[in-house]
Amino acid sequence: MAGLSLVFTLIIVIAYSSAISQLFQQRQISQIKTDFINNMTHEFKTPIATINLALDSLKHPKISSDPEKVANYLRMIREENKRMHSQVENVLRISKLEKNDLDIQKENLDLNDVLEDSISHIALILEQRGGSLHRHFGALRTTVLANESHLSNVFVNVLENAIKYTDESEAPVIDVYTENVRDKIVIKIRDQGIGMSKNAQRKVFQKFFREHTGNIHNVKGHGLGLAYAQRIVDDHHGDIYVESEKGREAHL
């Protein structure tokens, strides 16, 4: 009887522990989902408001009669529209990752060309922040078998993070290095931003993860970029990792 009682007690404890564990997991998933929806809503509200203001301004006679101001407001509308499109594309990409439905066809490419194309995508953002980017292309063998679109997206994601995670009071400074190590090409992207904790480094490639410094919206984004980047790099038989310290620059 004592043995049976012990067995039943053990079964009850295990079942209770499993139920508690699942409850905590569901709560965590629910919190992640809530944060994601809040972040996406926040991301769309700002560009929509900016576009509406720009359109209202274009109706003003003094603005509509000035070609330079019209061109400036049209540029703002175009950039905000591109920003919203980029957000939608990121969500679609992560959805395809879940279904293993990414179309990754590869061809021989010059890595320097892909890097230059990626840099051109963030040039305007970097210029607006008064930042600078320095190229240190030391690799002599630069031909890679890759998908140009996906590989470019990886570099853009990392470069955007280098800008976003630089203190707003400072101008971003980014260094891009390439070198050949044995039969491989190594790309390093270094920033002089706020850095990240050891805990954040362990989670930085997880979906929806963002390291907050107070306000949940203090850094724009929804934590999908680096999860996508890791999947693409893995598919190209490469490795991606980060080296950083809180308060010091990061290397990817």
Side-chain angles (χ1 to χ4, degrees):
M1 290 296 292
L4 286 174
S5 298
L6 184 61
V7 170
F8 283 125
T9 302
L10 186 60
I11 291 173
I12 292 171
V13 169
I14 292 173
Y16 181 76
S17 300
S18 177
I20 293 295
S21 176
Q22 290 181 20
L23 184 62
F24 277 111
Q25 287 178 4
Q26 289 297 323
R27 182 178 178 183
Q28 185 178 21
I29 291 170
S30 177
Q31 185 61 48
I32 290 172
K33 181 180 177 181
T34 300
D35 286 350
F36 174 70
I37 293 171
N38 288 339
N39 289 329
M40 285 299 296
T41 303
H42 181 79
E43 289 295 315
F44 281 115
K45 281 177 66 177
T46 303
I48 289 171
T50 302
I51 289 172
N52 285 335
L53 287 172
L55 289 172
D56 289 341
S57 299
L58 286 172
K59 295 177 183 177
H60 197 282
K62 289 184 179 180
I63 300 296
S64 59
S65 60
D66 188 333
E68 185 176 346
K69 289 183 178 180
V70 169
N72 184 51
Y73 280 113
L74 288 175
R75 180 190 60 79
M76 289 173 59
I77 292 171
R78 188 179 301 110
E79 289 301 319
E80 293 303 318
N81 183 62
K82 284 170 61 179
R83 181 175 156 191
M84 287 194 294
H85 179 73
S86 176
Q87 300 295 342
V88 173
E89 282 297 313
N90 275 335
V91 176
L92 292 176
R93 284 179 197 138
I94 213 70
S95 176
K96 288 183 177 181
L97 285 180
E98 293 290 343
K99 299 176 183 177
N100 291 319
D101 196 30
L102 279 175
D103 181 22
I104 303 182
Q105 298 179 351
K106 300 170 187 172
E107 59 183 326
N108 286 323
L109 302 170
D110 189 310
L111 183 66
N112 288 347
D113 292 341
V114 180
L115 280 169
E116 288 292 354
D117 179 65
S118 305
I119 290 169
S120 69
H121 284 290
I122 56 94
L124 183 60
I125 305 173
L126 191 63
E127 182 182 336
Q128 289 175 339
R129 290 282 305 271
S132 59
L133 185 146
H134 309 285
R135 298 164 177 81
H136 310 274
F137 294 172
L140 299 178
R141 300 187 305 277
T142 58
T143 301
V144 294
L145 183 64
N147 180 284
E148 183 174 8
S149 175
H150 287 300
L151 194 59
S152 178
N153 287 334
V154 170
F155 295 141
V156 169
N157 276 322
V158 176
L159 290 167
E160 282 184 337
N161 281 347
I163 298 171
K164 289 192 294 185
Y165 286 93
T166 296
D167 194 289
E168 291 186 0
S169 62
E170 299 179 4
V173 178
I174 304 171
D175 291 276
V176 181
Y177 300 83
T178 67
E179 61 179 314
N180 293 121
V181 178
R182 296 173 183 164
D183 60 340
K184 297 180 180 180
I185 303 176
V186 177
I187 305 104
K188 297 180 182 177
I189 298 177
R190 184 180 73 180
D191 63 62
Q192 298 184 18
I194 60 176
M196 64 179 73
S197 64
K198 295 295 182 183
N199 181 57
Q201 290 179 55
R202 288 191 293 270
K203 299 179 179 180
V204 71
F205 295 107
Q206 295 178 8
K207 285 179 296 187
F208 308 119
F209 175 78
R210 296 194 309 157
E211 185 175 26
H212 307 304
T213 54
N215 188 335
I216 193 172
H217 301 306
N218 60 338
V219 176
K220 296 185 182 298
H222 35 68
L224 297 177
L226 289 180
Y228 164 79
Q230 185 179 49
R231 165 64 195 278
I232 297 303
V233 171
D234 286 345
D235 189 84
H236 284 75
H237 308 292
D239 298 301
I240 182 170
Y241 61 91
V242 61
E243 294 177 356
S244 181
E245 291 182 24
K246 194 71 175 176
R248 298 185 62 183
E249 69 274 6
H251 304 251
L252 276 106

